[in-house]
Structures are given as structure tokens and as C-alpha cells.
Amino acid sequence: MKEELFEEQSFVDAQKLSDILEEQDEEVKEVLPPLSKTLMEIYGLNTPSTDVLNYISQKKTSINMMVVALFMFITCFVPLIILDSLYIPEVFGVLIMALMIFAGVVLIVKGNAGVKNEKSLLANLELSDEDHEYIEAENELYRKSQANNIIIAVGLFIFSIFPVVIADTFLPWYIADNFGIASMFIMIASGVSLLVYQARNASLFKKLLRSDKKVH
């Protein structure tokens, strides 16, 4: 049809031009995929549903915030111990401790508030095959890492006494005890946080699999 425009006279009436444009539109529609399809569908790829992915992302963020808050609660008095050993007024240590506790509470509240429609999603959950495969893979990943994380946490608990011994050996007596105790509680807090992180993430994927009402 384009060649006809050049073969005919320079004047093209409105009806002729309209017919040509409609024909071009049809050709374009045949080439382009329907707008209702996603890019993943166009290229033959499958992906977990958006609701499930959003829920997992929100829960992981909430868990991370909760773990950081737990660490801050356990170690909140460490600045007080360290500043006391440096002969810095106690009020500064108390202020830092209060700020850490406040920050931990804020993290927990914001983390819980960031999880949207959890009860509704779990109550009506029917996982697609793609959802189920993704969650099974993530669950297996955390199951395999469980032993390593437990070993690391137990190691931190057992060796937490060593900073006390090392500080007592190499640091001046007037700061040795405080720095040793502070280091010990930091190691214990790290071990507890690691165990909670592992347990809560593993629980997340187990809960999704248990809540699934679709038989796979």
C-alpha cells in the first residue's frame, strides 16, 4: 500500500489515507504481543506470584530488624561499661544505652508494621507450582545452613570467655575487666542473634508451606 502512494498522484484523499493507516495498525498488532501478557510470559519464563514475593521480602526485612534490635538490647549496657573504664561521665553511657533500647523498639515496631495483610494471605494461600518450587528451594537452603549457623553460634558462646582472659593479660588492670566483659557480651549477643536469624527465616518458609491449601 505504501508503494501505491508514490505511484499515484501527490494528492491522496482522506479515505485512502485512513485505509492505509488502519492496515498498518493491524500489521503492528499482529507483530506485538498482547499487553495483558508480562515479559516473563512472553519469553516463556515462570516466576512466583507478586503477593508471595512481596510477603517474603517484607517478612525478611522484619526479621532483620528484629535481630538487630535483639542485638542492641543485649549489648545496650556495653557502652556504659566501656565509657566507665575510660573515666567518661556515667551519664553519657546511660544516654547511649537508652538510645540503643529506643532504637531497638522502633526497629521492631516498624518491622512488624511493614508486613502487610499477613493473616489474610496465609488464610487464603494457594501456592502456584512456581511459588511452591521457590519456597521449597529457599526452605532447603536454610535447612542446609542450619548446622553451620548453630556451630558458629555455639563457638561464639564457648569462646566468649577468651576476650576476658586476653584483656586481663594484655591490657592495664583498670580497663581489662570492663573491656573483657564488654567483648564477651558482644560475642554472646552475636551468637544469639545468629540463632534467631536462622530460626525465624526457616520458620517463614515452613509456615508458607504449611499454610498452602493447594495440593501439590
Side-chain angles (χ1 to χ4, degrees), residues 57-71 107 111 142 197 200-201:
S57 176
Q58 291 166 4
K59 284 294 289 184
K60 282 191 171 185
T61 300
S62 176
I63 291 169
N64 291 339
M65 288 182 172
M66 187 267 292
V67 169
V68 173
L70 177 63
F71 182 86
L107 285 173
Y142 279 100
Y197 175 83
R200 292 301 297 269
N201 275 287

Side-chain angles (χ1 to χ4, degrees), residues 149-169:
N149 288 335
I150 291 176
I151 291 171
I152 293 171
V154 172
L156 287 168
F157 296 151
I158 294 173
F159 291 105
S160 63
I161 192 66
F162 278 80
V164 178
V165 176
I166 293 171
D168 188 56
T169 304

Side-chain angles (χ1 to χ4, degrees), residues 57-136:
S57 176
Q58 291 166 4
K59 284 294 289 184
K60 282 191 171 185
T61 300
S62 176
I63 291 169
N64 291 339
M65 288 182 172
M66 187 267 292
V67 169
V68 173
L70 177 63
F71 182 86
M72 296 176 78
F73 292 152
I74 298 175
T75 60
C76 64
F77 60 89
V78 169
L80 184 63
I81 296 174
I82 294 176
L83 293 179
D84 181 64
S85 66
L86 298 175
Y87 299 104
I88 296 174
E90 185 177 313
V91 64
F92 291 104
V94 173
L95 177 61
I96 295 174
M97 180 175 67
L99 288 174
M100 290 177 69
I101 294 173
F102 175 75
V105 172
V106 170
L107 285 173
I108 291 175
V109 172
K110 288 185 69 67
N112 290 335
V115 182
K116 311 291 185 183
N117 304 320
E118 180 176 13
K119 291 183 179 179
S120 174
L121 185 142
L122 295 178
N124 304 288
L125 185 63
E126 289 189 9
L127 298 175
S128 66
D129 292 339
E130 291 76 24
D131 293 331
H132 197 270
E133 289 176 9
Y134 173 76
I135 293 171
E136 281 279 16

Side-chain angles (χ1 to χ4, degrees), residues 32 39 45 48 56 82 91 99 101 115 136 140 163 176 181 209:
L32 295 178
L39 288 176
L45 301 176
I56 292 173
I82 294 176
V91 64
L99 288 174
I101 294 173
V115 182
E136 281 279 16
E140 182 68 13
I181 292 173
L209 293 173

